[in-house]
Amino acid sequence: MIFINPHGAPELACDHCGCRWVDRLKGKAYCYECGEEISDEAIAEFQKAAAEFAATHSLPLTG
């Protein structure tokens, strides 16, 4: 599940309970709230959405 935060950026969330707190330190992604594993498909969907957001929202260059 992907939420869009107030700035328009995507945030990965648990498909089971909707929690946006994900533990990625164990080699796999797990929801802090319910403990369910975040699927590889959900992570790939989030990575795609994050890349699309980054491509259209770059930081201004300062020099």
Side-chain angles (χ1 to χ4, degrees):
M1 178 182 306
I2 297 175
F3 282 99
I4 303 300
N5 72 24
H7 297 286
E11 292 186 28
L12 180 62
C14 176
D15 287 332
H16 301 279
C17 71
C19 175
R20 290 180 279 173
W21 292 94
V22 177
D23 178 3
R24 297 182 183 108
L25 300 176
K26 299 177 184 174
K28 287 297 278 179
Y30 293 91
C31 174
Y32 275 121
E33 186 68 27
C34 69
E36 290 292 326
E37 184 176 330
I38 307 298
S39 70
D40 291 336
E41 294 82 15
I43 293 171
E45 181 182 346
F46 167 72
Q47 289 173 333
K48 180 181 177 202
E52 289 171 358
F53 178 82
T56 59
H57 294 81
S58 61
L59 295 174
L61 296 175
T62 59

